[in-house]
Amino acid sequence: MEAVDAAFSISRRAGFQSMAYDFLMDSDGSQLVSEISFGYQNRAVFDCPGHWDGKLNWIPGQMWPEEAHVADFVAES
């Protein structure tokens, strides 16, 4: 959950709408961001059993990332 929270925090501060994060764990157990990318495979996102919202609530069910992009766009309009 530390990595999920960090990813949302970074995205909020930087104003990212959609971003993929890779984390590594150091020898002390701290999680470090090793890579961020705006490009990712949409199928990999869809194949997940659910997703976390910005308040760290688990939302079960599949969703294409493009659907999430449209939902965010409509919500901000």
Side-chain angles (χ1 to χ4, degrees), residues 1-48:
M1 287 308 303
E2 180 184 338
V4 173
D5 188 39
F8 273 109
S9 177
I10 294 165
S11 289
R12 275 192 295 274
R13 288 190 316 239
F16 299 148
Q17 187 269 345
S18 180
M19 189 64 64
Y21 293 86
D22 289 339
F23 288 85
L24 298 173
M25 190 175 295
D26 70 12
S27 59
D28 296 326
S30 297
Q31 296 185 15
L32 308 166
V33 176
S34 62
E35 180 181 3
I36 64 173
S37 178
F38 66 90
Y40 48 85
Q41 291 291 321
N42 64 350
R43 184 65 189 203
V45 174
F46 180 78
D47 286 344
C48 293

Side-chain angles (χ1 to χ4, degrees), residues 33-76:
V33 176
S34 62
E35 180 181 3
I36 64 173
S37 178
F38 66 90
Y40 48 85
Q41 291 291 321
N42 64 350
R43 184 65 189 203
V45 174
F46 180 78
D47 286 344
C48 293
H51 64 278
W52 301 100
D53 70 10
K55 295 181 181 176
L56 303 183
N57 298 306
W58 177 252
I59 311 298
Q62 294 175 303
M63 174 183 262
W64 289 103
E66 296 86 353
E67 292 173 334
H69 297 170
V70 170
D72 286 351
F73 178 77
V74 169
E76 290 187 22

